Amino acid sequence: MSGSSVAPTQPQLQNGTGDGRKAIAEQSKRLRNSIVSLAIFFGIVAALLLGVPGLRSVADRIGDASAGWVLIAVGFELLSCVSYVIVFMLLFGKLGRYVGTRLALAELAVNAVVSAGGLGGLALGAWVLRSKGISVEIVAKRSVMLFMLTSAVNVVVVLLVGLGMWSGLLGGSTDPLLTLAPALAALAAILATLAVAAWAGSVAQHAGAEHRRLGVALRALSEGVWDVLRLLRRHDARLLGAVGYWLFDTLVLYACLIAYGRTISFWIVAMAYLVGMLANSVPIPGGFVAVEGGLVGMLVLFGVGPASLLLAAVITYRAIALWVPSVIGSFAFLSIRREIGKPLAPQPRGS
């Protein structure tokens, strides 16, 4: 990593104080309300499938899903959660295995039910880390690194798979609008990220004391991006956690399609997943409707059908991808509430 030590500072939230208990209660309530919204959404989906004549064929297909493949999909989602924990611990390992693992799982719960491109979970993690006395500069930079690592995999895969399909090296469509265009957009995103990091570093150097918060944010953005590049050059095996986080979640969708008897090229599923899941950045709780529509729409554009089968598979995928991390992450958050506000033990220099 960057070599910065996690130096404890005075915690902003002391465990056991009135303010501390109130903050913890608010976070718990927010997570609980989000899960209730998740349950209501799937209740509405079930009512529509059963009550709307045009959607009953989808409900019938859901009942015909292969239980074995659905269980395999659940297993893939669990592996995706484990992969996130691995990459989280790469950056925040000084929290210790107990707190770090559970905080990573709690972040996944928030990411599942609060659609914000993964920023909701990072916000929860930052709050907990600050409560334990970790400096805002380190929290900001490491959070940027975590976001960059998990997002970079998606962007690079779009670039590689898009070019591979367009050139005919990978199975699937050669339609440039579905393959080359997303690949070029991914390349532009990579170049733009590097340019923004360079700009942020330059501006941060000239940020005065009156703009300290802006300076911290810009410095975290710039240093976070460059530290990710340095980390990649170290070839740490734990970096595979970022790949597994994407890969296993994609395999959940792939397994759900097979559960309904639809076997197609994995690369089509990967591209449809990556582009379709862009809707997850829409600020809608859980990305409801937007994500489902994006995934089904991309699969249809790739010539996969019928639509009723795709909708059944996507609903099954979303149920697994949302409920598995939500349930596990909620229990994880409850289990570390007593640890929130307790400062980290001082770390020796060079450790």
Side-chain angles (χ1 to χ4, degrees), residues 45-273:
V45 169
L48 290 174
L49 293 178
L50 296 174
V52 178
L55 295 177
R56 287 179 183 172
S57 61
V58 178
D60 292 338
R61 286 186 181 276
I62 290 178
D64 295 334
S66 168
W69 277 105
V70 171
L71 287 176
I72 290 173
V74 172
F76 283 141
E77 188 59 36
L78 290 172
L79 289 174
S80 179
C81 294
V82 171
S83 298
Y84 185 83
V85 171
I86 290 172
V87 72
F88 181 90
M89 291 300 291
L90 171 63
L91 299 173
F92 297 103
K94 291 185 179 180
L95 286 172
R97 183 175 299 178
Y98 180 86
V99 175
T101 298
R102 284 158 178 77
L103 179 55
L105 293 173
E107 285 194 2
L108 285 176
V110 175
N111 287 340
V113 296
V114 179
S115 178
L119 297 179
L122 289 178
L124 171 66
W127 172 74
V128 174
L129 292 167
R130 287 293 297 127
S131 81
K132 296 184 74 63
I134 302 177
S135 68
V136 65
E137 292 84 1
I138 292 177
V139 170
K141 185 170 70 171
R142 298 289 175 88
S143 296
V144 168
M145 292 177 69
L146 181 60
F147 180 79
M148 290 300 301
L149 280 173
T150 53
S151 300
V153 171
N154 295 351
V155 177
V156 172
V157 172
V158 169
L159 174 60
L160 297 179
V161 174
L163 292 177
M165 292 177 67
W166 174 69
S167 64
L169 295 175
L170 299 178
S173 173
T174 57
D175 186 337
L177 291 178
L178 297 176
T179 57
L180 183 60
L184 293 177
L187 178 59
I190 294 172
L191 296 176
T193 299
L194 297 176
V196 169
W199 169 83
S202 176
V203 174
Q205 291 180 352
H206 301 92
E210 67 276 11
H211 298 111
R212 181 178 178 276
R213 290 187 177 181
L214 177 61
V216 169
L218 293 175
R219 201 156 32 245
L221 174 59
S222 178
E223 294 179 1
V225 171
W226 304 131
D227 281 355
V228 164
L229 295 177
R230 283 189 284 268
L231 185 58
L232 292 174
R233 288 196 291 268
R234 289 175 50 185
H235 305 295
D236 193 310
R238 291 172 293 180
L239 288 168
L240 292 175
V243 178
Y245 179 51
W246 158 77
L247 176 60
F248 289 120
D249 198 53
T250 304
L251 287 172
V252 176
L253 177 58
Y254 190 59
C256 288
L257 287 165
I258 297 177
Y260 292 95
R262 198 68 174 89
T263 304
I264 58 177
S265 168
F266 170 77
W267 306 114
I268 288 180
V269 177
M271 184 61 82
Y273 170 91

Side-chain angles (χ1 to χ4, degrees), residues 271-283:
M271 184 61 82
Y273 170 91
L274 290 164
V275 179
M277 286 295 285
L278 289 175
N280 200 38
S281 60
V282 177

